[in-house]
mmCIF file of all heavy atoms in Angstrom:
data_model
loop_
_atom_site.group_PDB
_atom_site.id
_atom_site.type_symbol
_atom_site.label_atom_id
_atom_site.label_comp_id
_atom_site.label_asym_id
_atom_site.label_seq_id
_atom_site.Cartn_x
_atom_site.Cartn_y
_atom_site.Cartn_z
ATOM 1 N N ALA I 972 49.595 191.345 41.505
ATOM 2 C CA ALA I 972 48.683 190.333 40.959
ATOM 3 C C ALA I 972 47.471 190.084 41.858
ATOM 4 O O ALA I 972 46.594 189.313 41.492
ATOM 5 C CB ALA I 972 49.435 189.032 40.747
ATOM 6 N N ASN I 973 47.419 190.735 43.016
ATOM 7 C CA ASN I 973 46.309 190.541 43.948
ATOM 8 C C ASN I 973 45.109 191.376 43.483
ATOM 9 O O ASN I 973 45.162 192.599 43.506
ATOM 10 C CB ASN I 973 46.732 190.954 45.362
ATOM 11 C CG ASN I 973 45.701 190.620 46.412
ATOM 12 O OD1 ASN I 973 44.554 190.341 46.113
ATOM 13 N ND2 ASN I 973 46.127 190.671 47.661
ATOM 14 N N PRO I 974 44.014 190.743 43.082
ATOM 15 C CA PRO I 974 42.860 191.491 42.566
ATOM 16 C C PRO I 974 42.116 192.299 43.633
ATOM 17 O O PRO I 974 41.290 193.140 43.302
ATOM 18 C CB PRO I 974 41.956 190.403 41.987
ATOM 19 C CG PRO I 974 42.342 189.156 42.702
ATOM 20 C CD PRO I 974 43.800 189.310 43.045
ATOM 21 N N ARG I 975 42.460 192.094 44.898
ATOM 22 C CA ARG I 975 41.793 192.829 45.966
ATOM 23 C C ARG I 975 42.586 194.036 46.442
ATOM 24 O O ARG I 975 42.117 194.785 47.295
ATOM 25 C CB ARG I 975 41.522 191.886 47.129
ATOM 26 C CG ARG I 975 40.543 190.770 46.728
ATOM 27 C CD ARG I 975 40.304 189.763 47.810
ATOM 28 N NE ARG I 975 39.856 190.388 49.039
ATOM 29 C CZ ARG I 975 40.001 189.840 50.242
ATOM 30 N NH1 ARG I 975 40.583 188.661 50.354
ATOM 31 N NH2 ARG I 975 39.566 190.460 51.312
ATOM 32 N N THR I 976 43.807 194.225 45.907
ATOM 33 C CA THR I 976 44.619 195.371 46.337
ATOM 34 C C THR I 976 45.104 196.172 45.123
ATOM 35 O O THR I 976 44.398 197.041 44.646
ATOM 36 C CB THR I 976 45.798 194.914 47.209
ATOM 37 O OG1 THR I 976 46.593 193.967 46.488
ATOM 38 C CG2 THR I 976 45.328 194.291 48.516
ATOM 39 N N LEU I 977 46.284 195.879 44.612
ATOM 40 C CA LEU I 977 46.845 196.648 43.502
ATOM 41 C C LEU I 977 46.422 196.137 42.129
ATOM 42 O O LEU I 977 46.573 196.847 41.139
ATOM 43 C CB LEU I 977 48.379 196.639 43.568
ATOM 44 C CG LEU I 977 49.020 197.277 44.794
ATOM 45 C CD1 LEU I 977 50.533 197.181 44.690
ATOM 46 C CD2 LEU I 977 48.582 198.707 44.977
ATOM 47 N N GLY I 978 45.893 194.941 42.059
ATOM 48 C CA GLY I 978 45.552 194.313 40.785
ATOM 49 C C GLY I 978 44.693 195.142 39.851
ATOM 50 O O GLY I 978 45.021 195.289 38.674
ATOM 51 N N PRO I 979 43.578 195.714 40.310
ATOM 52 C CA PRO I 979 42.712 196.449 39.383
ATOM 53 C C PRO I 979 43.210 197.854 39.016
ATOM 54 O O PRO I 979 42.653 198.494 38.127
ATOM 55 C CB PRO I 979 41.378 196.536 40.127
ATOM 56 C CG PRO I 979 41.707 196.361 41.550
ATOM 57 C CD PRO I 979 42.953 195.522 41.608
ATOM 58 N N LEU I 980 44.265 198.317 39.659
ATOM 59 C CA LEU I 980 44.758 199.671 39.400
ATOM 60 C C LEU I 980 45.660 199.710 38.173
ATOM 61 O O LEU I 980 46.411 198.764 37.924
ATOM 62 C CB LEU I 980 45.541 200.184 40.615
ATOM 63 C CG LEU I 980 44.786 200.288 41.932
ATOM 64 C CD1 LEU I 980 45.746 200.691 43.049
ATOM 65 C CD2 LEU I 980 43.645 201.277 41.828
ATOM 66 N N PRO I 981 45.631 200.823 37.430
ATOM 67 C CA PRO I 981 46.612 201.001 36.350
ATOM 68 C C PRO I 981 48.030 201.033 36.940
ATOM 69 O O PRO I 981 48.204 201.303 38.133
ATOM 70 C CB PRO I 981 46.258 202.359 35.742
ATOM 71 C CG PRO I 981 44.874 202.651 36.206
ATOM 72 C CD PRO I 981 44.682 201.924 37.496
ATOM 73 N N ALA I 982 49.018 200.765 36.135
ATOM 74 C CA ALA I 982 50.398 200.638 36.612
ATOM 75 C C ALA I 982 50.872 201.856 37.407
ATOM 76 O O ALA I 982 51.485 201.707 38.464
ATOM 77 C CB ALA I 982 51.339 200.378 35.441
ATOM 78 N N GLY I 983 50.592 203.045 36.922
ATOM 79 C CA GLY I 983 51.030 204.256 37.621
ATOM 80 C C GLY I 983 50.372 204.415 38.978
ATOM 81 O O GLY I 983 51.032 204.755 39.965
ATOM 82 N N GLU I 984 49.082 204.155 39.049
ATOM 83 C CA GLU I 984 48.369 204.255 40.319
ATOM 84 C C GLU I 984 48.807 203.152 41.273
ATOM 85 O O GLU I 984 48.902 203.374 42.487
ATOM 86 C CB GLU I 984 46.861 204.187 40.096
ATOM 87 C CG GLU I 984 46.277 205.435 39.481
ATOM 88 C CD GLU I 984 44.763 205.330 39.308
ATOM 89 O OE1 GLU I 984 44.112 204.637 40.101
ATOM 90 O OE2 GLU I 984 44.260 205.956 38.365
ATOM 91 N N ALA I 985 49.066 201.966 40.742
ATOM 92 C CA ALA I 985 49.535 200.861 41.579
ATOM 93 C C ALA I 985 50.905 201.182 42.175
ATOM 94 O O ALA I 985 51.157 200.911 43.352
ATOM 95 C CB ALA I 985 49.599 199.571 40.770
ATOM 96 N N ALA I 986 51.782 201.779 41.391
ATOM 97 C CA ALA I 986 53.102 202.166 41.886
ATOM 98 C C ALA I 986 52.979 203.240 42.961
ATOM 99 O O ALA I 986 53.662 203.180 43.988
ATOM 100 C CB ALA I 986 53.977 202.658 40.739
ATOM 101 N N LEU I 987 52.105 204.208 42.755
ATOM 102 C CA LEU I 987 51.903 205.259 43.745
ATOM 103 C C LEU I 987 51.298 204.698 45.032
ATOM 104 O O LEU I 987 51.713 205.065 46.137
ATOM 105 C CB LEU I 987 51.002 206.360 43.175
ATOM 106 C CG LEU I 987 50.831 207.606 44.025
ATOM 107 C CD1 LEU I 987 52.167 208.263 44.303
ATOM 108 C CD2 LEU I 987 49.895 208.577 43.340
ATOM 109 N N ALA I 988 50.337 203.788 44.901
ATOM 110 C CA ALA I 988 49.732 203.159 46.080
ATOM 111 C C ALA I 988 50.763 202.317 46.829
ATOM 112 O O ALA I 988 50.783 202.308 48.064
ATOM 113 C CB ALA I 988 48.539 202.315 45.670
ATOM 114 N N ALA I 989 51.633 201.612 46.109
ATOM 115 C CA ALA I 989 52.690 200.828 46.748
ATOM 116 C C ALA I 989 53.666 201.741 47.469
ATOM 117 O O ALA I 989 54.109 201.442 48.585
ATOM 118 C CB ALA I 989 53.421 199.978 45.708
ATOM 119 N N TRP I 990 54.001 202.864 46.862
ATOM 120 C CA TRP I 990 54.889 203.837 47.508
ATOM 121 C C TRP I 990 54.260 204.358 48.791
ATOM 122 O O TRP I 990 54.913 204.417 49.838
ATOM 123 C CB TRP I 990 55.185 204.998 46.544
ATOM 124 C CG TRP I 990 55.953 206.105 47.198
ATOM 125 C CD1 TRP I 990 57.293 206.142 47.444
ATOM 126 C CD2 TRP I 990 55.413 207.326 47.697
ATOM 127 N NE1 TRP I 990 57.612 207.317 48.069
ATOM 128 C CE2 TRP I 990 56.484 208.060 48.242
ATOM 129 C CE3 TRP I 990 54.133 207.868 47.740
ATOM 130 C CZ2 TRP I 990 56.305 209.304 48.821
ATOM 131 C CZ3 TRP I 990 53.961 209.106 48.316
ATOM 132 C CH2 TRP I 990 55.032 209.823 48.851
ATOM 133 N N PHE I 991 52.975 204.714 48.736
ATOM 134 C CA PHE I 991 52.294 205.231 49.918
ATOM 135 C C PHE I 991 52.238 204.170 51.013
ATOM 136 O O PHE I 991 52.426 204.475 52.189
ATOM 137 C CB PHE I 991 50.886 205.706 49.555
ATOM 138 C CG PHE I 991 50.240 206.519 50.637
ATOM 139 C CD1 PHE I 991 50.518 207.864 50.771
ATOM 140 C CD2 PHE I 991 49.357 205.928 51.533
ATOM 141 C CE1 PHE I 991 49.934 208.614 51.774
ATOM 142 C CE2 PHE I 991 48.761 206.662 52.540
ATOM 143 C CZ PHE I 991 49.052 208.018 52.662
ATOM 144 N N GLN I 992 52.004 202.908 50.622
ATOM 145 C CA GLN I 992 51.965 201.824 51.604
ATOM 146 C C GLN I 992 53.336 201.574 52.219
ATOM 147 O O GLN I 992 53.430 201.086 53.331
ATOM 148 C CB GLN I 992 51.449 200.538 50.971
ATOM 149 C CG GLN I 992 49.967 200.441 50.866
ATOM 150 C CD GLN I 992 49.237 200.631 52.178
ATOM 151 O OE1 GLN I 992 48.405 201.506 52.299
ATOM 152 N NE2 GLN I 992 49.538 199.833 53.170
ATOM 153 N N ALA I 993 54.410 201.890 51.511
ATOM 154 C CA ALA I 993 55.754 201.727 52.057
ATOM 155 C C ALA I 993 56.129 202.876 52.986
ATOM 156 O O ALA I 993 56.875 202.680 53.941
ATOM 157 C CB ALA I 993 56.775 201.624 50.918
ATOM 158 N N VAL I 994 55.605 204.070 52.737
ATOM 159 C CA VAL I 994 55.918 205.238 53.557
ATOM 160 C C VAL I 994 55.047 205.281 54.808
ATOM 161 O O VAL I 994 55.525 205.536 55.907
ATOM 162 C CB VAL I 994 55.730 206.541 52.744
ATOM 163 C CG1 VAL I 994 55.833 207.762 53.638
ATOM 164 C CG2 VAL I 994 56.733 206.624 51.628
ATOM 165 N N SER I 995 53.781 205.027 54.650
ATOM 166 C CA SER I 995 52.803 205.220 55.710
ATOM 167 C C SER I 995 53.048 204.406 56.984
ATOM 168 O O SER I 995 52.878 204.945 58.072
ATOM 169 C CB SER I 995 51.410 204.937 55.153
ATOM 170 O OG SER I 995 50.443 205.149 56.142
ATOM 171 N N PRO I 996 53.439 203.137 56.935
ATOM 172 C CA PRO I 996 53.639 202.402 58.188
ATOM 173 C C PRO I 996 54.738 202.981 59.077
ATOM 174 O O PRO I 996 54.744 202.773 60.275
ATOM 175 C CB PRO I 996 54.033 200.993 57.739
ATOM 176 C CG PRO I 996 53.542 200.869 56.358
ATOM 177 C CD PRO I 996 53.576 202.250 55.787
ATOM 178 N N ARG I 997 55.658 203.718 58.492
ATOM 179 C CA ARG I 997 56.750 204.289 59.282
ATOM 180 C C ARG I 997 56.403 205.657 59.829
ATOM 181 O O ARG I 997 57.135 206.208 60.624
ATOM 182 C CB ARG I 997 58.020 204.380 58.440
ATOM 183 C CG ARG I 997 58.541 203.008 58.057
ATOM 184 C CD ARG I 997 59.781 203.083 57.232
ATOM 185 N NE ARG I 997 59.523 203.811 55.999
ATOM 186 C CZ ARG I 997 60.416 204.568 55.389
ATOM 187 N NH1 ARG I 997 61.607 204.688 55.870
ATOM 188 N NH2 ARG I 997 60.102 205.184 54.282
ATOM 189 N N THR I 998 55.274 206.222 59.402
ATOM 190 C CA THR I 998 54.943 207.576 59.834
ATOM 191 C C THR I 998 53.546 207.640 60.452
ATOM 192 O O THR I 998 53.388 207.548 61.642
ATOM 193 C CB THR I 998 55.044 208.567 58.659
ATOM 194 O OG1 THR I 998 54.177 208.132 57.605
ATOM 195 C CG2 THR I 998 56.459 208.648 58.110
ATOM 196 N N ALA I 999 52.522 207.759 59.630
ATOM 197 C CA ALA I 999 51.177 208.055 60.119
ATOM 198 C C ALA I 999 50.266 206.839 60.245
ATOM 199 O O ALA I 999 49.341 206.844 61.029
ATOM 200 C CB ALA I 999 50.520 209.069 59.184
ATOM 201 N N GLY I 1000 50.484 205.804 59.477
ATOM 202 C CA GLY I 1000 49.644 204.622 59.551
ATOM 203 C C GLY I 1000 48.416 204.658 58.657
ATOM 204 O O GLY I 1000 47.521 203.835 58.810
ATOM 205 N N PHE I 1001 48.350 205.586 57.721
ATOM 206 C CA PHE I 1001 47.240 205.621 56.766
ATOM 207 C C PHE I 1001 47.415 204.501 55.743
ATOM 208 O O PHE I 1001 48.471 203.903 55.646
ATOM 209 C CB PHE I 1001 47.186 206.967 56.027
ATOM 210 C CG PHE I 1001 46.978 208.138 56.941
ATOM 211 C CD1 PHE I 1001 47.910 209.151 57.005
ATOM 212 C CD2 PHE I 1001 45.853 208.230 57.728
ATOM 213 C CE1 PHE I 1001 47.718 210.238 57.833
ATOM 214 C CE2 PHE I 1001 45.653 209.307 58.563
ATOM 215 C CZ PHE I 1001 46.596 210.317 58.617
ATOM 216 N N ASN I 1002 46.369 204.238 54.967
ATOM 217 C CA ASN I 1002 46.510 203.251 53.901
ATOM 218 C C ASN I 1002 45.685 203.660 52.687
ATOM 219 O O ASN I 1002 44.717 204.395 52.808
ATOM 220 C CB ASN I 1002 46.132 201.845 54.371
ATOM 221 C CG ASN I 1002 44.729 201.777 54.906
ATOM 222 O OD1 ASN I 1002 43.956 202.709 54.798
ATOM 223 N ND2 ASN I 1002 44.394 200.664 55.506
ATOM 224 N N THR I 1003 46.106 203.191 51.533
ATOM 225 C CA THR I 1003 45.405 203.472 50.284
ATOM 226 C C THR I 1003 44.766 202.226 49.711
ATOM 227 O O THR I 1003 43.947 202.320 48.812
ATOM 228 C CB THR I 1003 46.380 204.045 49.229
ATOM 229 O OG1 THR I 1003 47.477 203.157 49.097
ATOM 230 C CG2 THR I 1003 46.877 205.406 49.633
ATOM 231 N N ILE I 1004 45.173 201.078 50.198
ATOM 232 C CA ILE I 1004 44.578 199.816 49.759
ATOM 233 C C ILE I 1004 44.063 199.081 50.994
ATOM 234 O O ILE I 1004 44.423 199.420 52.121
ATOM 235 C CB ILE I 1004 45.582 198.935 48.979
ATOM 236 C CG1 ILE I 1004 46.803 198.601 49.824
ATOM 237 C CG2 ILE I 1004 46.001 199.600 47.683
ATOM 238 C CD1 ILE I 1004 47.786 197.654 49.161
ATOM 239 N N ASP I 1005 43.218 198.098 50.779
ATOM 240 C CA ASP I 1005 42.640 197.326 51.863
ATOM 241 C C ASP I 1005 43.713 196.449 52.501
ATOM 242 O O ASP I 1005 44.153 195.471 51.912
ATOM 243 C CB ASP I 1005 41.489 196.479 51.328
ATOM 244 C CG ASP I 1005 40.772 195.694 52.407
ATOM 245 O OD1 ASP I 1005 41.049 195.927 53.604
ATOM 246 O OD2 ASP I 1005 39.920 194.866 52.047
ATOM 247 N N VAL I 1006 44.144 196.827 53.684
ATOM 248 C CA VAL I 1006 45.215 196.096 54.364
ATOM 249 C C VAL I 1006 44.767 194.677 54.694
ATOM 250 O O VAL I 1006 45.563 193.740 54.640
ATOM 251 C CB VAL I 1006 45.662 196.847 55.641
ATOM 252 C CG1 VAL I 1006 46.698 196.063 56.410
ATOM 253 C CG2 VAL I 1006 46.196 198.218 55.280
ATOM 254 N N GLY I 1007 43.496 194.489 54.987
ATOM 255 C CA GLY I 1007 42.982 193.163 55.282
ATOM 256 C C GLY I 1007 43.022 192.219 54.098
ATOM 257 O O GLY I 1007 42.960 191.006 54.266
ATOM 258 N N ALA I 1008 43.128 192.761 52.892
ATOM 259 C CA ALA I 1008 43.168 191.937 51.678
ATOM 260 C C ALA I 1008 44.597 191.662 51.212
ATOM 261 O O ALA I 1008 44.793 190.942 50.240
ATOM 262 C CB ALA I 1008 42.389 192.619 50.565
ATOM 263 N N MET I 1009 45.575 192.227 51.898
ATOM 264 C CA MET I 1009 46.967 192.020 51.499
ATOM 265 C C MET I 1009 47.404 190.588 51.787
ATOM 266 O O MET I 1009 46.886 189.937 52.689
ATOM 267 C CB MET I 1009 47.887 193.005 52.232
ATOM 268 C CG MET I 1009 47.715 194.438 51.781
ATOM 269 S SD MET I 1009 48.665 195.618 52.764
ATOM 270 C CE MET I 1009 50.318 195.248 52.251
ATOM 271 N N LEU I 1010 48.359 190.118 51.018
ATOM 272 C CA LEU I 1010 48.924 188.791 51.218
ATOM 273 C C LEU I 1010 49.714 188.758 52.531
ATOM 274 O O LEU I 1010 50.256 189.783 52.952
ATOM 275 C CB LEU I 1010 49.850 188.432 50.059
ATOM 276 C CG LEU I 1010 49.203 188.405 48.668
ATOM 277 C CD1 LEU I 1010 50.267 188.240 47.600
ATOM 278 C CD2 LEU I 1010 48.178 187.295 48.593
#
């Protein structure tokens, strides 16, 4: 529901971005959404 992160993305892209955000902190530290805008 956050309009600055996953909100504007279609459901499939939002799910993929959420998956990448869950994997990335444990490995490389990349991001697909604005981490500064996260809740």
Side-chain angles (χ1 to χ4, degrees):
N973 187 344
R975 296 176 55 204
T976 57
L977 298 180
L980 299 175
E984 287 181 30
L987 187 58
W990 173 79
F991 193 82
Q992 278 305 122
V994 171
S995 182
R997 295 180 300 147
T998 57
F1001 299 120
N1002 57 9
T1003 54
I1004 59 176
D1005 183 9
V1006 176
M1009 290 174 71
L1010 300 172

